[in-house]
Amino acid sequence: MHVTPAEETAIAILAWLANEPELLGRFLALTGTDPASLRHAAADPGFLAGVVDFLMGHEPTLLSFCEATGTPPEQVVRTHAVLSGPDNSGDF
């Protein structure tokens, strides 16, 4: 399975959330997803778009992710645009 750069960033966000129990709990509550189904859900581009959208919805959380992972905020913004865009191709 080919993983695009945008999908890689979204998966990195999900991995980071997994280590942030309070944020993960809020994300799971908002999405209605349970921890056991996260791995399966991560294969869905729509779910990955939701992960990025969750991060983009709160600037302090976005900046915490970027600082912790060394990811430029612009990369997250591009990822959000790609995964939430009309074709959801996942490519930058």
Side-chain angles (χ1 to χ4, degrees):
M1 175 183 174
H2 172 70
V3 178
T4 66
E7 291 168 335
E8 286 177 3
T9 300
I11 291 167
I13 294 167
L14 187 57
W16 177 77
L17 282 174
N19 291 306
E20 300 291 330
E22 185 177 314
L23 289 172
L24 181 62
R26 192 168 80 215
F27 174 76
L28 293 174
L30 288 171
T31 62
T33 306
D34 63 81
S37 63
L38 279 178
R39 184 177 299 275
H40 179 70
D44 175 11
F47 179 79
L48 292 178
V51 170
V52 180
D53 193 54
F54 174 79
L55 191 71
M56 293 284 296
H58 189 244
E59 186 176 3
T61 303
L62 168 64
L63 296 176
S64 291
F65 164 76
C66 291
E67 183 177 325
T69 62
T71 303
E74 300 80 14
Q75 182 176 334
V76 178
V77 171
R78 282 193 311 272
T79 295
H80 185 256
V82 168
L83 293 178
S84 298
D87 68 356
N88 291 335
S89 67
D91 290 324
F92 282 148

